[in-house]
Structure formats: C-alpha cells, structure tokens
Amino acid sequence: MSRSEWIGRKVSGWLPTGKSKVLPLAPAQAPATQARPAKAVGPKEGQVRSSKERLNATLRQKEEALSPRVLRRTLSELQAIVDPSVSEVEGGKRAKGVAQWYSKAPPEQREDCWLLMSEQFAPDASKVRAAREHYEAALGTPDEGVAEIRMRKALVSPRTRLLQRFAVFPEGMRFLVDLRQELMPALKSNKRLLALEAELENLFTTWFDVAFLELRRISWDSPASLVEKLIKYEAVHDIKSWGDVKNRLDSDRRCYGFFHPRLPDEPLIFVEVAFMNEIGVSISPLLDEAAEAVDLSRATTAIFYSISNTQPGLKGVSFGDSLIKRVVETLRADFPKLKTFATLSPIPGFRTWLNKNAAPMLDLTPEKLRSQLGRAVGFEPAAAGHVLSALDQAPTLSDRSVLRQWLLSCAAHYLGKELSEGRPVDPVARFHLGNGARVEQINWAADPSAKGFKQSFGLMVNYLYDLRKIDRHRQGLSQGKVPVSDSVEQLYF
C-alpha cells in the first residue's frame, strides 16, 4: 500500500458518518493508488447494491466481483471513451482497450461492467424533465416542433454514444452482438440491466436494417469456413456429414443468407431451398443424399425447408420476412417457371401444447369421435392421459386410425386457432403467418427423426406464400383470423 493510499484511507475513517467526501474519479490512465472515499451507507446485508452505492463505498461485499476501487477505475475508463474532447477514432481505440480487458474477464466481472454501462450512462433526469415540461407546454403552438427536438435530444443517453464508440473498431460489432447474447439470460435475475439491453436492441434495429444487408448465395464452392458456419448454425434439421451439407448445396438446390458489412463472414440468417414439381410432404426425400437431382428447367415449386437465425445477440431484430421476399424475387428472376413458393416447416411447440391441453381438446371433440377414441385406447370415456399414452405409437398408426384423425384435428386447431395476444402461439407459425403466408397442409409422419417426434409427433406443415394474397393474409391475422386452406379448415372439430 502506497503512502497516499494509506493516508487517504485513514482520513476517510476520521470523517463523521454520512458526511464522507467522495473524491472525484480519476481519468482512465490514473494510477490505481487513488485515495479511497469513505464507505457510504448502503443496503442491508444480503441486498444487492446498485452501482452508485458500490462506487461510493470503500469495501466490497462478498457477492460482488469488482472492488469499489476497481469499479471506479473501470467507470473512468468507460467515461474516457465518450470524453467529448477526444475524436471518434481515439474513442474507438479506448473502447477496444476495454473490450480486450472484457474478453479476459470472468462472468462476474463482465456483469459489473454491464451494470456500469446500464446505470451510470443514463439520460440526465433533470434535462429530460425540463424538456418534457417544455414540450407539454408547447403542444399546439408554433414552438411544438422545437420542443419536440429538445425532448428527443434530452432522451439520448450517454450510453448510446458509448455503444457507438464500441462499434468503431473493426471487431466492435462482433463484440456488441456477443455482449448482448451473454447479457440477455441475466435479465431475469437483474432488472438493473434492462436499460443496456434495450439500448443495444434499439441500435441493432438500425444498424442491421435490411437496407444495409447483402443477400448472397452460399454454395458448395463458397469458402470452407462459410460452409462450416452452416453446419454450426443449422437449427431445423441437423447436418450430419459433409455429404449431407453437399447435398443441400448441390446444383439443384439453393441456399441464401443475409450478411452485414461489419460481419462479412457471418450469415445472420439463411434459408435452404429445394426445387420440386409439387409441394413437399416429407423431409426425408429432401435430405436423401442418394436422391436424383431435379431438372431445374422444369421445376415449378420452390420449397423453403430450413430457415435458421444464427445470432442470438440479434434477437428481436427482424429480417426473416425480408429474406424470404428477396429470395422469392431472386428465384423468380432466375427460374421463370416457378409458380409455387411454400415451406415444409416443423411445428416445434405442438406436442408440449397438447400435453397441457389434451383435456380441453377432448371437450371440443364431437361425442361420436370421442366414443371411437375410447374404444381405440381401451378406456371409455377416454381421458387425456389415455389418449396421450396411445399417441406414443403415433408413427405406426394406420391411415384410418381415429387417433390419427384426432391428432391432425388438434394440430389444425393449434395452428389455426390458438393465439396469444392476437398472434399464433407456435413460433414458426408466428413467423410465416406474420409474413403473409397461410397454413396450407398438415403432413403426417413428415419428420421421422427423434427431434420431429419429440416436437410434434412427426407432423410437419406447409405454409404457402401466395404473392397475390400476402397483404390480405396479414390484414386478416391482425384482426385475429389465421389464414388457412380449405383442407386445413375441414380438420377443425
């Protein structure tokens, strides 16, 4: 311990409680021997202290990663990044230095860094309050526009500037996307981080707008590092081998991805397309490496059989609908004979939903069909547990099985009628129906994999993109009506 540090600690200990003087923060390059301020009165034992309380303290509590002294030094380094006297380039260099420290820091210290960013770089409350009062007073007057501009400026937080400086250096965008990915799981247990997460999402919505994204085809001739990314990020149907990925990138297939100039080798989202002469009803032929190549000059149908988001840190940033539209435009230009654009999609939430809602679905089931179910499962009247147990044998059920008929009806209800806040409860349905597609066809035993059976008893669904009716379908969905085909509507109880 240096002499100045020892003296600072002794002097702070002599000051009366509640009147301790907090010394000003040192600049980023200040030595770590700065005198410590007196310990401020904080929360009771066991309570989590805010970053403000910790910055004004002398000692850290057991559960805190960074000591008050190191926390103050870290805050000084973050403040130096947004110092108005330094250039954008210099600010970016300082941000890079913090990012290098962060990359080596353990999770607990990273969370302390998040807390500083979230709590210590908020908008000036007094300026926001004054600007709001000015705006409210100016409503309906010629000064309303000026007042609105003032309020907008007051709401821009130093946190925005801080994050913008991190985006300056070449690896900065990657750093911020990864930071948000790591941050999001901590939100449930630490609400103090919400402001930082919301700020990141808001910036990403602008930085990753589709106007700044490039649509690129990914083929077998693409760099090996890019092909490896497909294997890594494929989220719908796992890629099992190099032969599997070669089949998906063959001459009779197409794969397209959106790329951002600051993440040039990372597809943000990609879609895999197969060409056929009719709507596909099973995933097995599409993944069959031994299947004959399709004659592209005669194909009439494009099947989107896998769409994968690759960056969890960009959750909430929507560009999937734009990807499909851009791909459809590209395919129509390259293959004029294509008339039908549809998906072959999983139903990932169906089995979990049915396990919870089998009893209500049995209540909706017509009496005659319910009696048939009872005879089929050996219990009359059939209860939810009896039916769910029998469905463990779903892949072996015959075409005429009453269990099969009941399961298809439940799937139609789930996709066409189950809504939460006006939106489909199934995540894949929410995506495609929100883009203007309609539920076209439910396919039995379409995904024989263990994953497919676990998610939906092996069922898959086709969503049809009728380019003439996309806007109509969207409007109907906004009014709570899910667009479905006649064949799906006939499955309703």
Side-chain angles (χ1 to χ4, degrees):
M1 181 186 301
S2 69
R3 177 182 299 178
S4 60
E5 185 177 1
W6 182 87
I7 293 174
R9 177 180 294 183
K10 289 294 182 181
V11 170
S12 65
W14 297 335
L15 294 174
T17 303
K19 298 182 180 180
S20 57
K21 181 179 179 181
V22 179
L23 300 180
L25 293 174
Q29 292 77 19
T33 56
Q34 177 182 343
R36 297 188 184 188
K39 183 176 181 179
V41 177
K44 294 180 180 179
E45 187 69 26
Q47 292 183 346
V48 178
R49 298 192 293 186
S50 69
S51 62
K52 181 179 180 180
E53 291 167 331
R54 292 173 59 191
L55 287 166
N56 291 333
T58 303
L59 301 176
R60 66 177 158 192
Q61 293 181 352
K62 239 183 342 184
E63 69 279 3
E64 295 170 351
L66 297 178
S67 68
R69 179 174 61 83
V70 178
L71 200 68
R72 288 190 288 272
R73 187 175 64 196
T74 304
L75 175 60
S76 294
E77 292 172 352
L78 291 171
Q79 290 171 329
I81 293 172
V82 293
D83 187 334
S85 67
V86 303
S87 67
E88 192 82 18
V89 174
E90 176 59 27
K93 288 181 180 179
R94 295 181 181 187
K96 184 176 181 179
V98 172
Q100 290 172 341
W101 164 82
Y102 179 95
S103 67
K104 300 174 184 177
E108 299 80 8
Q109 294 183 6
R110 292 184 179 191
E111 185 163 345
D112 276 352
C113 187
W114 304 338
L115 283 169
L116 290 175
M117 290 180 171
S118 193
E119 294 189 318
Q120 298 301 312
F121 292 86
D124 187 316
S126 61
K127 290 182 179 179
V128 172
R129 184 165 48 252
R132 185 181 67 244
E133 292 172 355
H134 182 205
Y135 175 72
E136 291 173 351
L139 285 175
T141 72
D143 293 330
E144 181 178 338
V146 175
E148 179 184 346
I149 293 172
R150 178 183 172 185
M151 187 168 68
R152 286 178 180 273
K153 289 181 177 180
L155 288 170
V156 176
S157 68
R159 191 186 308 110
T160 300
R161 187 63 172 161
L162 176 67
L163 297 175
Q164 289 172 335
R165 288 282 172 93
F166 275 99
V168 169
F169 65 95
E171 304 83 14
M173 194 68 75
R174 174 80 274 163
F175 168 79
L176 291 174
V177 172
D178 290 345
L179 186 151
R180 183 168 181 251
Q181 177 181 346
E182 189 179 5
L183 164 70
M184 286 191 292
L187 297 177
K188 291 182 179 180
S189 59
N190 195 342
K191 302 300 183 185
R192 299 180 189 277
L193 301 174
L194 285 171
L196 174 60
E197 193 277 332
E199 191 95 58
L200 282 165
E201 181 179 356
N202 182 58
L203 287 171
F204 288 162
T205 300
T206 300
W207 291 341
F208 289 89
D209 185 87
V210 292
F212 305 125
L213 304 182
E214 176 190 3
L215 181 70
R216 283 162 45 187
R217 180 185 170 191
I218 305 169
S219 70
W220 184 245
D221 295 326
S222 298
S225 59
L226 181 53
V227 175
E228 288 174 350
K229 296 284 175 61
L230 296 190
I231 299 173
K232 174 183 177 182
Y233 292 130
E234 169 61 50
V236 184
H237 304 291
D238 294 339
I239 297 176
K240 301 176 182 178
S241 65
W242 281 102
D244 187 359
V245 72
K246 187 177 189 301
N247 176 54
R248 303 189 194 200
L249 300 178
D250 217 341
S251 59
D252 65 331
R253 300 291 183 91
R254 290 294 183 271
C255 179
Y256 296 94
F258 265 151
F259 293 79
H260 190 277
R262 297 304 298 269
L263 299 172
D265 301 320
E266 289 274 355
L268 306 178
I269 184 173
F270 62 88
V271 58
E272 298 168 50
V273 187
F275 297 97
M276 307 179 71
N277 292 319
E278 58 186 2
I279 293 180
V281 298
S282 173
I283 194 61
S284 297
L286 301 184
L287 302 182
D288 183 2
E289 298 173 32
E292 293 185 10
V294 175
D295 184 352
L296 294 182
S297 65
R298 304 179 64 180
T300 61
T301 304
I303 298 294
F304 304 96
Y305 65 93
S306 180
I307 302 175
S308 299
N309 284 290
T310 70
Q311 307 297 319
L314 294 179
K315 182 180 180 181
V317 181
S318 177
F319 31 64
D321 57 338
S322 300
L323 173 69
I324 292 179
K325 290 177 184 175
R326 293 272 295 275
V327 169
V328 167
E329 292 171 359
T330 301
L331 293 176
R332 291 180 73 185
D334 293 345
F335 306 101
K337 289 188 177 181
L338 290 177
K339 304 300 180 185
T340 303
F341 300 90
T343 78
L344 181 59
S345 300
I347 317 175
F350 175 54
R351 185 165 183 171
T352 299
W353 173 85
L354 187 61
N355 286 340
K356 297 177 181 178
N357 293 276
M361 293 308 298
L362 284 171
D363 292 339
L364 290 176
T365 304
E367 185 175 348
K368 180 179 178 181
L369 179 57
R370 186 161 183 175
S371 297
Q372 294 173 338
L373 275 175
R375 290 193 292 273
V377 301
F379 292 92
E380 293 189 60
H386 304 141
V387 176
L388 291 173
S389 295
L391 287 175
D392 285 338
Q393 307 302 318
T396 64
L397 296 176
S398 67
D399 293 352
R400 297 184 178 181
S401 167
V402 66
L403 275 168
R404 174 171 172 165
Q405 178 186 346
W406 185 79
L407 186 61
L408 287 170
S409 294
C410 289
H413 179 98
Y414 173 71
L415 293 171
K417 293 189 174 183
E418 278 297 306
L419 302 177
S420 176
E421 298 180 354
R423 305 174 69 205
V425 295
D426 187 82
V428 176
R430 190 159 56 242
F431 173 80
H432 288 295
L433 296 174
N435 292 341
R438 80 177 184 194
V439 185
E440 182 67 12
Q441 181 173 290
I442 300 173
N443 304 304
W444 183 263
D447 185 355
S449 69
K451 180 181 179 181
F453 185 70
K454 182 178 180 180
Q455 289 183 335
S456 60
F457 301 97
L459 301 182
M460 296 188 77
V461 59
N462 302 117
Y463 297 102
L464 179 69
Y465 280 86
D466 186 335
L467 304 182
R468 300 165 300 176
K469 299 179 180 179
I470 283 179
D471 290 337
R472 186 192 311 173
H473 291 162
R474 276 182 160 174
Q475 182 177 3
L477 186 63
S478 69
Q479 299 169 354
K481 180 175 176 55
V482 175
V484 302
S485 67
D486 292 340
S487 64
V488 172
E489 191 168 9
Q490 289 171 6
L491 291 172
Y492 291 158
F493 291 126

